[in-house]
């Protein structure tokens, strides 16, 4: 479709693009962001798997730049690679979890199509099995006291992935261009696509990683952001787009994952 081709071309040039999502994806998204508030603290505590970076994580469990300045949000992470290990939990039969599974299935197919298009922009070999090491993350920012304490609810950073699909419930996401902060504003059926440092490395630095942040709101308010982090299959042998030198993406993926305060990846 034309909007996908245009998004691929924009990512190839600038590291940033905007993509339309289907009505079905939008409905699943609404169920996820609206349904989070109905989940009990007991369920969150029991469905938390730190070694896998899977399930629920409390406020401040991840950071973007400084370990002592964590992101001001709670998190829920869903890895299809770990889903078979969670079947015994009653929570996996909830409406919230069903919406998460449905959204992830749809966005993973969209991510594969988009990544294929980005590779085609450079005449490069497509990446296989993106879903194997990719995951969905919901960030939930509570009402804060305003920017007097911190300018950013999530400090400026670049994601350590190939691509990030980001759909927030309200404004706050900004692209950091030097000293300039450019607000990312999306229509209801749009999602922001940001290149990460892995894609910069794979493209031999032709594609810039999208440096971004989340502003602390001027007045107290809640905000959620659903993100799909796209990683390549760590077992796929890849070479740079131009130099055609082998890239050890397995080590690169893990190093970037740990760099945000997470445990080492357990995908084998």
């Amino acid at each position: 479709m034309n909007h996908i081709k245009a998004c691929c071309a924009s990512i190839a040039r600038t590291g940033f693009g905007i993509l339309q999502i289907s009505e079905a994806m939008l409905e699943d998204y609404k169920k996820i962001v609206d349904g989070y508030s109905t989940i009990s603290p007991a369920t969150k505590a029991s469905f938390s798997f730190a070694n896998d970076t899977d399930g629920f994580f409390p406020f401040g469990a991840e950071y973007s730049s400084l370990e002592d300045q964590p992101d001001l949000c709670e998190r829920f992470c869903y890895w299809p690679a770990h889903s078979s290990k969670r079947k015994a939990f009653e929570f996996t039969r909830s409406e919230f979890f069903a919406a998460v599974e449905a959204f992830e299935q749809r966005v993973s197919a969209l991510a594969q199509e988009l990544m294929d298009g980005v590779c085609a922009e450079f005449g490069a070999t497509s990446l296989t099995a993106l879903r194997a090491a990719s995951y969905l993350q919901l960030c939930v920012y509570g009402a804060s006291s305003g920017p007097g304490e911190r300018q950013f609810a999530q400090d400026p950073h670049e994601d350590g992935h190939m691509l990030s699909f980001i759909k927030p419930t309200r404004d706050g996401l900004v692209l950091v261009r030097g000293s300039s902060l450019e607000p990312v504003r999306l229509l209801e059926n749009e999602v922001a696509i940001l290149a990460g440092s892995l894609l910069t490395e794979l493209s031999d630095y032709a594609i810039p990683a999208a440096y971004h942040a989340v502003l602390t709101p001027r007045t107290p308010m809640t905000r959620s952001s659903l993100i799909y982090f796209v990683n390549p299959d760590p077992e796929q042998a890849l070479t740079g787009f131009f130099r055609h030198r082998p890239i050890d993406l397995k080590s690169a993926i893990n190093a970037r994952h740990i760099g945000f305060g997470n445990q080492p990846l357990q995908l084998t």
Side-chain angles (χ1 to χ4, degrees), residues 78-83 100-109 111-112 127-136 228-234 267:
Y78 169 73
W79 296 73
H82 298 310
S83 61
V100 165
E101 288 185 309
F103 187 92
E104 187 278 331
Q105 288 174 358
R106 292 186 172 102
V107 76
S108 64
Q112 186 71 61
L127 279 64
T128 61
L130 290 175
R131 193 182 182 202
S134 302
Y135 66 104
L136 196 66
Y228 184 62
F229 292 124
V230 181
N231 288 318
D233 180 353
L267 296 174

Side-chain angles (χ1 to χ4, degrees), residues 23-235:
E23 185 64 31
M25 288 182 69
L26 183 59
E27 288 303 311
D28 290 330
Y29 164 78
K30 291 176 180 177
K31 290 177 182 177
I32 294 167
V33 296
D34 292 342
Y36 185 86
S37 62
T38 68
I39 301 169
S40 71
T43 296
K44 293 177 183 178
S46 66
F47 201 82
S48 179
F49 314 95
N51 287 341
D52 292 333
T53 319
D54 194 33
F56 293 95
F57 294 87
F59 182 89
E62 189 177 44
Y63 56 88
S64 298
S65 299
L66 302 173
E67 188 172 356
D68 61 354
Q69 193 157 293
D71 299 343
L72 302 181
C73 63
E74 299 180 21
R75 284 188 298 155
F76 172 77
C77 299
Y78 169 73
W79 296 73
H82 298 310
S83 61
S84 62
K85 297 186 287 186
R86 315 297 183 219
K87 294 185 181 297
F89 289 84
E90 180 66 26
F91 175 67
T92 63
R93 290 174 283 283
S94 66
E95 183 177 1
F96 175 89
F97 199 83
V100 165
E101 288 185 309
F103 187 92
E104 187 278 331
Q105 288 174 358
R106 292 186 172 102
V107 76
S108 64
L110 193 57
Q112 186 71 61
E113 185 176 2
L114 197 67
M115 195 65 229
D116 288 347
V118 171
C119 289
E121 289 284 325
F122 295 90
T125 302
S126 295
L127 279 64
T128 61
L130 290 175
R131 193 182 182 202
S134 302
Y135 66 104
L136 196 66
Q137 177 169 294
L138 176 66
C139 296
V140 180
Y141 299 84
S144 67
S145 59
E149 296 180 8
R150 278 179 57 176
Q151 181 183 8
F152 299 106
Q154 186 181 46
D155 289 331
H157 67 286
E158 58 187 44
D159 287 338
H161 310 279
M162 285 290 179
L163 296 171
S164 299
F165 287 58
I166 304 178
K167 183 157 184 59
T169 56
R170 61 177 71 249
D171 292 345
L173 176 64
V174 292
L175 297 177
V176 182
R177 314 276 199 190
S179 60
S180 175
L181 301 178
E182 300 179 9
V184 175
R185 294 192 171 92
L186 303 167
L187 298 177
E188 185 181 34
N189 69 335
E190 290 180 337
V191 59
I193 314 294
L194 280 65
S197 55
L198 283 182
L199 185 54
T200 299
E201 186 171 346
L202 181 66
S203 67
D204 287 322
Y205 296 87
I207 301 175
Y211 207 55
H212 61 287
V214 176
L215 293 173
T216 304
R218 293 180 178 276
T219 57
M221 66 180 64
T222 58
R223 178 184 182 277
S224 297
S225 184
L226 188 60
I227 309 166
Y228 184 62
F229 292 124
V230 181
N231 288 318
D233 180 353
E235 303 302 326

